[in-house]
Amino acid sequence: MRRYIKKQVLKAIAALSEVHGQLVEVARKGGYETAMKLLEQCQQNAIDMGGLIDGTEGENTPEVHFLEEYCELLYQLHVKLEEGDKFSDLDTVVMLNEPLRKVAHGVMNRFPTQLEVVFLPYKASMWDSLESVWKGMKDDPNVNAFVVPIPYYDRLPGGKFGTIHYEINEYPKDVPVVEFDKYNLKERHPDVVYYHNPYDEDNFITSIHPFFYSSNLKKLAEELVYIPYYVFDEINNFDEETLKGVAEFILQPGVVNANRVIVQSENWKKAYIELLTKYTSQTDKEYWDKIIEVSKSPKLVKVANMKAEDFSIPEEWQQLIGTGDNKKKVILYNVSVTTLINAGEAEIDKIKRVLDTFKENRDKVVLLWRPHPLVQATLNSLTPELLPPYMEIMDNYRKEGWGIYDDTPDVDRAIAVSDAYYGDPSSLVAMYKETGKPIMIQNCNV
């Protein structure tokens, strides 16, 4: 039986037990019409409870039979009141409570507890931040785990919603996805919801559908768990300037509304607690200490255990890379959205110079350019003047065909097949460090 259903049944039994005491008191004072209405309400609540049990455990369970006995007792008391008989002793309370006690005992001890867990990724390329958690649950007989990709919008300049995106067909084939409009969160009320987008309405580049904002999810589920889609290098300083630099990732609605927040290290936990106690209404460090848990990021877990042989390499990639003695080194090139926005034209010029250099040396190495999945949406929303020159560079690179352009959701394949990283500082650097391969950070001013 679902943990949530158990909770609902036991809560209903406790409420009925309270009503029994009220019932005797009302009858003692001669309020027979009120007492009869209470009996009718008790019966309806018992019927609803039986429906919950039937719906999860099937019909004809002992617990439903106990509820039928309870309803029969309610009926007999109702008839007594209609005929003018009185009841006011505590034996009546004991009599009514006994079948409910048996129901509660059965629910607690006879039915194994099952969790219904829902994962709500929005971008397929960020699924790796949740994937290892899902894999750890998908074969557990006590867990029903659902992967429900949700839609998101580009933000137009000014903040209005633009194009809607739904990437349900871009997830790995071994992930059984459920369409978001086929899983009714309101009706199912899952026990746990995992998500990786913390921004709710506060993201100026994209927005998940407002129905899936954490402010609404907390009304529809028993527990919310937030796992960041990004990973960072370790944080070692906790001065005001350093914390200010990471505050935009931490002081978000999806963090504040979560029942659990999973972070990648003890130092990052400390940074979260420092900021959340200082800038939110919840100033109790002990509260946040319980909410924030430390566990290695699922992204890092996956990278640490993967090999190039685990992936299918596209034929056009293989032709550029070569095989055997003719195999070339592959350099993963990454342009950070943050650097692109902050550096502007300088970053655009840097990309041109980098591509020219690798084009001249294409007989020795292969460039694998993997853009951030939100780069175009970000430019369009925040710095639309940079979008045309960026798109021109990208289009020319793809048309010329001397390097690899990877805009698929699978960042892990690019990490696995490459021999070194070159590009801007980003969460991809923290992932790449897990491979032990060389890393070189570019400077857009050089």
Side-chain angles (χ1 to χ4, degrees), residues 100-129:
L100 295 184
R101 184 193 65 78
K102 294 177 181 178
V103 174
H105 183 270
V107 168
M108 290 295 293
N109 299 288
R110 217 173 63 80
F111 302 137
T113 301
Q114 284 198 320
L115 291 180
E116 181 151 314
V117 181
V118 180
F119 294 84
L120 298 178
Y122 80 110
K123 283 200 68 64
S125 61
M126 298 175 182
W127 166 239
D128 58 354
S129 63

Side-chain angles (χ1 to χ4, degrees), residues 196-237:
H196 60 195
N197 185 310
Y199 300 108
D200 285 8
E201 69 275 8
D202 292 343
N203 191 334
F204 301 110
I205 300 168
T206 61
S207 173
I208 57 176
H209 191 289
F211 179 81
F212 298 100
Y213 288 168
S214 64
S215 56
N216 190 48
L217 290 178
K218 67 181 183 180
K219 305 171 188 175
L220 306 176
E222 290 295 284
E223 181 178 289
L224 302 186
V225 183
Y226 166 60
I227 301 180
Y229 64 81
Y230 52 80
V231 289
F232 286 132
D233 285 335
E234 187 62 282
I235 186 170
N236 295 308
N237 296 316

Side-chain angles (χ1 to χ4, degrees), residues 6-54:
K6 279 192 175 186
K7 183 177 177 180
Q8 293 298 103
V9 170
L10 295 174
K11 184 178 178 180
I13 289 173
L16 287 173
S17 296
E18 288 186 14
V19 173
H20 297 163
Q22 297 172 14
L23 179 67
V24 170
E25 186 64 24
V26 168
R28 181 183 293 126
K29 294 179 179 179
Y32 300 129
E33 288 189 10
T34 301
M36 284 190 286
K37 288 181 179 178
L38 287 174
L39 288 169
E40 292 164 8
Q41 291 173 9
C42 288
Q43 185 174 53
Q44 186 57 55
N45 288 342
I47 292 170
D48 293 342
M49 199 188 314
L52 276 177
I53 296 173
D54 278 344

